[in-house]
Amino acid sequence: MVKMTGRKALFESLKLQGVEYIFGNPGTSESPIMHELQFHPEFKYVLVFQEGVAIGMADAYSRATGKPAFVNLHIETGLGNAVSLMHNAKEGGSQIVLSAGNLDVREYDRGRTDLVEMVEQFTKFSGEASHPDQVFGLINRAFHESATPPTGPAFVSFSANSLDDIGNYEFFPPSPLTYENRASTKTITNAISALKNAKNPVFIVGDRISQSLAWKEIVELSNISGAAVYASSYSEMNFPNDHPNYKGEIRLGYPEGKNIMRQHDVVIGIGKLATGYWMFSNPSPSFFEPKTTFIHIDVDSANLGSYLKTDIPILSDPKTALEEITNGLSDSIDGEYKESVSIRSKQYSIDKSKVKDDWNSRVAQKYNINPISAERLMSDAASVIPTNSIIVNDAVTSGNSLMNSFTFNKPGSIYGGRGGALGWGMGGALGVQLANPDKKVIAFCGDGSALMTIQGLLTAAKDNIPITYVVCNNSIYRVLKVNMNFYRENILKLKDDNEQYLGMEFGNRIDIHTIAKGMNVESWRIDDPKDIKPILSEAINSNKPSLLDVTIDGTL
C-alpha cells in the first residue's frame, strides 16, 4: 500500500492505462487535476474550447487507436455540453472514459449536482469517487468496462475531497482483454445450413466489423456465398465499397429498405443494426418479410432478438463467427452451389458497372452548375487527395457524393459520425489526425454540423494539428428539408409543395472562411469550381490546419 493524494493517484492510474492524451476543457472544480498535471509531463493535455469537440476527438481517437480515450470536463455546466455527442458514442460503442470534477461531498445539502445521473443513460458504466481510496478502483473499472466487448463510454466524477485528501492505494496494471468469444456449435451449424440453402442471401454490416477486425472474414464469406452486402452504418471501412457485391448503405425500416430486403430469403446482420434513425410516428415493427430467415451476429446479447424476430441469434465476436461459418460452408458446398454463386457474382459485377456509369453521368450533368454541385466538389476532391489519406465524413447530405467519389478498401481509410447528433466532425478529424500523425487527414463537414463545434478550429490552430477541413456550405439545414419531404409524403400523405421549411434556412450565407481566419486557421472561400483542385492541393501540402469554405448547391 502507498499513500498519496487522490489527484496524484488519478495520474498514476492513467499512466497504468497507457493514456497519452487528455482531451479537456477545465473549470474551477478541476483545479486539483490541472495543478497535478504540471508534475506529469508525460501526458499531453489537448485544450478544447467547446466540450463537444473533446468528445468528437476522443471518439475518433479511440476508434483509430483501438483503445479508450480519456476526457476531463467541468462539473455539470461543461458536462451538459458533452451530452449530445455522448449519445453518438453510446450508439457506436466508442471507448471513451469521460470524467469531471464535482463539489466536496460535504456540500450535498447545498444543492450538489448528481453528475452520474446526468450522463448514465449515455454510458455503459458510471460512478463517482467520493473518497480518495476510490480513485484508482473507479478509473480501473471505467477503462475495463469501456474496452470490454460490447465496448462503450464510461464516466467517473471526482468529489473535491476525493482528489485533495490522502488515500491508500495498491496499484496494478490493467487485466488483459479478449474479444474472441465463440458462438455455440449449434448456432454456427444452423447458420451454415441456412446459407447453403439460400437462393439469394444478403449481409448487413455495421461498425462491429471494424471493432472486431473482421474485414478479411466478411469479404471471404461474401465471396464464397455470393451474398450481396449492404451497410447499415459506414462510419468505418466495414466492407470495401469497390467490391462488386457491395450495394451501398441501407435504411432499414424505411420503404426503400423493406423493398430491397424482400428480394432476399436469408439475411445475416452483423453488429448493431442502425435503422437510418426513423424519427417519425408509426415505425415499422419489422425490417424483413415473415418468411425471411434472419441470422444476427453480435457480441452484445442485448441486440439479439430484442427488437427483431431472429431465427438464429449468434452471440459471438463477429470475426470468430464469420471465420467458422466460412470454413463450415466451404467444406459443405458442391458444384451446383458454386455455379449459383458464380451467376449472382457476375450479375453484381454488371450492376456495379452500371452504378459507376450512372454516377459518372450524374457528375458530368452537374459538373458546371452554379452554385457548385456536391457531385463536382467530391469528384474533384477525390482526384487530388493522396490515395493513402484518411477521409473524415461529416458531410451529411453531401455524404452520398463522397461515398460515390472515393474508394474505401483499406481499414482505417474513413471515419464518420454515428448516432445522429451533429457536430462530430470538427473534433473527430482532430482525433483521427492525432492517432495518425504520419498521414494526411481531410475532413468533409456540412456547414450545419461544423457550426455546432466550430471552436475545434481553435484547437487545431493552437496545437498546429494539420487538418484540412472542407466545409460544404449551402447555408441551410438541407437534411431537415429532405426529412420534411419524406414526412409530408409518407406520413401526412400530402401532394402539394406548400411547405415553408420553417427553421431550416440560415438567412445570409454564413462566412465560415472569415470565422476560420479569426481562429488563426488558413482559409479560402471557394465559389468558382475551378478553384477546388488547386486550392485543396495547396491546403493539404501546407502541413498546417486549413479550411476550404465551399459554396455548394442546396436545392432538393
Side-chain angles (χ1 to χ4, degrees), residues 304-513:
L304 301 178
S306 60
Y307 55 90
L308 291 172
K309 180 185 79 69
T310 305
D311 300 286
I312 306 175
I314 301 179
L315 181 60
S316 172
D317 161 40
K319 181 182 179 74
T320 303
L322 291 169
E323 181 180 25
E324 292 182 355
I325 293 171
T326 299
N327 291 339
L329 185 63
S330 60
D331 290 341
S332 63
I333 57 178
D334 54 20
E336 182 180 353
Y337 185 91
K338 292 179 181 178
E339 178 61 25
S340 65
V341 168
S342 177
I343 293 171
R344 286 198 297 272
S345 297
K346 288 177 181 177
Q347 185 60 51
Y348 294 151
S349 294
I350 294 171
D351 295 343
K352 195 76 169 182
S353 295
K354 185 178 185 306
V355 168
K356 186 175 182 179
D357 289 343
D358 289 346
W359 168 250
N360 290 335
S361 296
R362 182 175 177 84
V363 171
Q365 179 185 0
K366 297 205 167 190
Y367 198 72
N368 293 311
I369 71 169
N370 191 20
I372 301 167
S373 68
E375 290 85 351
R376 175 160 188 180
L377 169 60
M378 297 302 177
S379 178
D380 281 7
S383 71
V384 298
I385 290 175
T387 54
N388 62 342
S389 301
I390 301 174
I391 301 300
V392 172
N393 179 14
D394 194 30
V396 196
T397 55
S398 297
N400 182 60
S401 293
L402 185 153
M403 291 301 300
N404 277 291
S405 298
F406 289 86
T407 297
F408 302 111
N409 53 25
K410 296 178 182 178
S413 55
I414 180 174
Y415 293 93
R418 50 197 185 187
L422 293 179
W424 175 85
M426 298 301 288
L430 298 172
V432 171
Q433 184 71 78
L434 290 178
N436 297 274
D438 298 328
K439 291 194 174 184
K440 303 289 188 182
V441 176
I442 297 89
F444 293 88
C445 300
D447 52 356
S449 187
L451 287 168
M452 295 285 185
T453 48
I454 198 70
Q455 300 93 330
L457 295 175
L458 285 168
T459 298
K462 177 182 179 295
D463 292 340
N464 195 30
I465 302 173
I467 296 291
T468 299
Y469 290 101
V470 180
V471 176
C472 308
N473 191 338
N474 53 30
S475 294
I476 59 173
Y477 283 129
R478 188 174 185 274
V479 66
L480 297 187
K481 290 190 173 185
V482 170
N483 290 339
M484 177 60 77
N485 285 352
F486 180 92
Y487 173 68
R488 287 170 51 84
E489 180 180 347
N490 294 275
I491 307 301
L492 300 181
K493 308 298 182 184
L494 297 177
K495 303 297 182 182
D496 62 76
D497 57 356
N498 297 328
E499 189 64 43
Q500 296 182 46
Y501 300 108
L502 298 176
M504 302 177 197
E505 301 276 355
F506 295 176
N508 296 329
R509 184 191 190 279
I510 296 178
D511 193 357
I512 295 175
H513 155 64

Side-chain angles (χ1 to χ4, degrees), residues 12-13 15-18 136 140 143-144 170-176:
E12 294 299 322
S13 302
K15 192 183 304 181
L16 286 170
Q17 296 293 339
F136 168 66
N140 190 62
F143 274 85
H144 182 82
E170 185 173 339
F171 296 105
F172 54 84
S175 303

Side-chain angles (χ1 to χ4, degrees), residues 281-314:
S281 58
N282 195 29
S284 174
S286 177
F287 302 156
F288 317 115
E289 295 294 293
K291 61 182 180 180
T292 301
T293 299
F294 179 51
I295 304 166
H296 197 176
I297 304 169
D298 198 9
V299 73
D300 188 355
S301 61
N303 291 329
L304 301 178
S306 60
Y307 55 90
L308 291 172
K309 180 185 79 69
T310 305
D311 300 286
I312 306 175
I314 301 179

Side-chain angles (χ1 to χ4, degrees), residues 51-61 85 96 423-424 427-429 431:
E51 290 79 1
V53 177
I55 301 301
M57 290 183 77
D59 179 294
Y61 182 83
L85 288 176
I96 297 174
W424 175 85

Side-chain angles (χ1 to χ4, degrees), residues 218-240:
I218 187 63
V219 171
E220 286 184 352
L221 186 54
S222 174
N223 288 339
I224 195 173
S225 65
V229 180
Y230 289 88
S232 71
S233 172
Y234 206 96
S235 64
E236 295 187 37
M237 200 292 291
N238 296 315
F239 196 88

